[in-house]
Amino acid sequence: MAAPVNPPRGMRDFLPADKARREHALGIIRNVYRSHGFDEIETPVVEDYARLHAGLGGDNEKLSFSILKRGIPPEALAAAAEAGDAEELADLGLRFDLTVPLTRFFASHRAELPPVFRSIQIAPVWRAERPQKGRYRQFVQADIDIIGESGLLAEIELITATSQALAALGLAGCVIRVNDRRILFGLLEHCGFASKMHDRALITIDKLDKIGVTGVVDELREADAEAAERMGEILTNVAPLVGSGEGGGSGIALAHDAIAEVLPAGAAEEGVANLVALGEALEGSLPEGVDVRFDPTLVRGMGYYTGTIFEIAHPGSGSSVGGGGRYDGMVGRFLGQDVPAVGFSIGFERVVDLIELPEATGPEAVALIADADVELADLLALKRALVDRGHRVRLEKRQKNMKALLARVASEGFTRVANVRAGASAADELEFRELS
């Protein structure tokens, strides 16, 4: 018995109908982004190992796939792995997100780009995940980023474009949770956590939805017991706030008094003012079915975020279906000078699992069923004439089981069919019938 021939774990094949529907959905996203003034770029699937492991990618750096240097013999790999030095054998790696490649791209081509660059990247990325529902080792991200704009306009454009893309896909019930890293650090300072413990504390707070307030406090006690208790009180008080906000219209819940309930007076004033202004600007500008709410417990795991952060939640998914934020310090690592930047990414694989994808649309698709005695030159001439008219054309040979053949071509998106007899040479003479 032949062994099963499956793709690698965490990676998938897509049949023609699935591929067509996915491309249709990606086309919707791409068209919405382009209508908002973004331009599409493409970057290599590999980047330098050192760039991918610069300490800004959070846990995703640990999940990156590395590419061995050329000429490394197997015995050297085994010895290095045993000694814990396997990373010395790699000089390249597969990208684990699209942000690191974008910042390198901008640094490489800055002289050729406008002062404020609005980019689209829609492409696969790779992570050595533990495969499970909604989590794959190869998956598509749909990113928009704005580089060179330090003002709030960038965040507003990203949120409005992303929300309209979600609405165009028919994904209702989305909540865009927003926060500001400066507010998070303000909370930590207010509670009394030493600055050297901030990153560790944020990692713990990011687990709030999984381990609850009690679990967060217990874990934070290892860093500072008194500060942990203060943080526990704040988290308990803000829990109702996180879930607040009614739907209807834009459903914005970023009022100043709501934010003031979370932070003591004077703490993280710049971050608070930023979210207040964001809420006011977005009021009434989002499509129906998309809600925006302030969530002071939102962390986002990437180490490169510096200000506003956002994440898309949906009741049909146990994980976020998108996210992003401001990463003003990242481009400067390549240029030697800081450049403001902010981005928003839709997790396409999770989104596509939540929506009913319509049949892909395009040119009329017709099938020509040829008798065995039809001359190839005549058949090709008919096909060429129909293609020149804008049709999508499939050639099929007549079979005994015509019912099965017609059912198959119909399932593949073909809407009309014509029989081709010997001697047929003019497309206008073909008699087409509809496929139900």
Side-chain angles (χ1 to χ4, degrees):
M1 180 177 180
V5 183
N6 297 319
R9 289 188 67 235
M11 300 181 180
R12 297 166 294 164
D13 295 322
F14 296 105
L15 293 171
D18 294 326
K19 177 65 175 174
R21 291 188 181 95
R22 286 169 62 86
E23 289 299 321
H24 179 67
L26 288 171
I28 291 173
I29 296 172
R30 182 178 282 109
N31 288 337
V32 171
Y33 286 168
R34 288 187 59 80
S35 73
H36 280 259
F38 292 82
D39 294 314
E40 190 161 7
I41 65 169
E42 184 173 328
T43 58
V45 302
V46 299
E47 293 286 346
D48 287 341
Y49 180 94
R51 186 172 298 125
L52 293 171
H53 294 80
L56 295 173
D59 287 342
N60 289 330
E61 292 189 7
K62 303 174 185 176
L63 298 174
S64 65
F65 286 99
S66 298
I67 300 174
L68 290 179
K69 297 177 182 178
R70 291 183 64 185
I72 299 295
E75 58 271 17
L77 175 61
E82 185 175 349
D85 297 326
E87 68 275 8
E88 298 297 326
L89 304 180
D91 56 354
L92 299 171
L94 291 173
R95 62 191 179 202
F96 54 74
D97 72 0
L98 298 176
T99 304
V100 174
L102 172 64
T103 55
R104 195 271 312 148
F105 171 93
F106 183 82
S108 299
H109 302 280
R110 187 180 187 185
E112 307 161 66
L113 298 172
V116 177
F117 179 51
R118 295 168 172 83
S119 78
I120 304 169
Q121 282 191 98
I122 301 178
V125 299
W126 292 265
R127 296 177 191 171
E129 298 272 13
R130 179 176 297 172
Q132 54 187 289
K133 181 177 174 56
R135 193 177 293 272
Y136 309 101
R137 289 179 172 174
Q138 176 179 315
F139 54 96
V140 171
Q141 288 186 333
D143 285 18
I144 45 175
D145 294 77
I146 299 178
I147 300 179
E149 172 58 60
S150 60
L152 200 60
L153 176 63
E155 281 92 330
I156 294 169
E157 285 197 87
L158 291 174
I159 291 175
T160 53
T162 301
S163 63
Q164 288 188 15
L166 295 172
L169 288 169
L171 188 61
C174 287
V175 175
I176 301 177
R177 302 158 59 208
V178 299
N179 197 11
D180 194 296
R181 296 280 281 200
R182 292 165 291 189
I183 291 178
L184 288 167
F185 290 123
L187 284 173
L188 294 174
E189 291 171 3
H190 171 67
C191 291
F193 287 99
S195 58
K196 65 180 181 181
M197 302 303 300
H198 283 183
D199 289 343
R200 177 181 173 184
L202 288 182
I203 291 173
T204 299
I205 295 172
D206 199 27
K207 303 176 185 176
L208 180 63
D209 59 339
K210 296 181 178 66
I211 63 178
V213 173
T214 301
V216 169
V217 172
D218 289 343
E219 195 168 313
L220 289 177
R221 282 197 185 101
E222 299 175 10
D224 188 317
E226 292 185 9
E229 293 299 330
R230 296 191 191 99
M231 180 59 72
E233 294 176 5
I234 291 176
L235 294 178
T236 299
N237 291 332
V238 303
L241 176 62
V242 172
S244 68
E246 298 296 329
S250 59
I252 303 298
L254 296 174
H256 180 275
D257 55 349
I259 298 175
E261 290 180 24
V262 179
L263 284 172
E269 290 182 347
E270 189 175 357
V272 172
N274 184 65
L275 287 187
V276 171
L278 180 63
E280 292 174 350
L282 289 175
E283 185 66 51
S285 64
L286 299 184
E288 185 176 355
V290 179
D291 199 6
V292 175
R293 301 177 193 170
F294 169 53
D295 183 350
T297 67
L298 178 64
V299 173
R300 298 290 296 166
M302 295 298 194
Y304 48 64
Y305 291 129
T306 57
T308 316
I309 51 177
F310 17 81
E311 192 167 276
I312 306 170
H314 188 274
S317 175
S319 303
S320 68
V321 296
R326 182 165 284 279
Y327 51 97
D328 287 344
M330 194 169 177
V331 180
R333 291 205 169 198
F334 306 125
L335 285 178
Q337 63 180 100
D338 285 344
V339 178
V342 59
F344 208 152
S345 174
I346 290 178
F348 179 72
E349 308 300 345
R350 291 178 180 172
V351 167
V352 82
D353 286 343
L354 294 171
I355 61 178
E356 290 292 332
L357 288 176
E359 295 291 338
T361 58
E364 183 180 18
V366 298
L368 300 182
I369 312 298
D371 288 348
D373 56 352
V374 174
E375 294 289 339
L376 288 179
D378 291 340
L379 188 59
L380 292 177
L382 291 171
K383 179 179 180 180
R384 183 169 60 251
L386 292 170
V387 169
D388 289 344
R389 296 179 185 182
H391 296 300
R392 178 177 180 234
V393 184
R394 169 73 59 80
L395 299 180
E396 296 282 354
K397 294 180 179 179
R398 179 172 298 280
Q399 299 177 2
K400 289 184 178 180
N401 188 349
M402 285 297 298
K403 184 176 181 181
L405 186 151
L406 295 176
R408 174 173 58 78
V409 295
S411 71
E412 293 169 349
F414 292 86
T415 57
R416 293 199 299 161
V417 63
N419 294 318
V420 181
R421 310 294 185 187
S425 59
D428 289 335
E429 296 176 1
L430 293 175
E431 295 182 6
F432 286 94
R433 68 177 187 275
E434 300 294 326
L435 285 172
S436 55

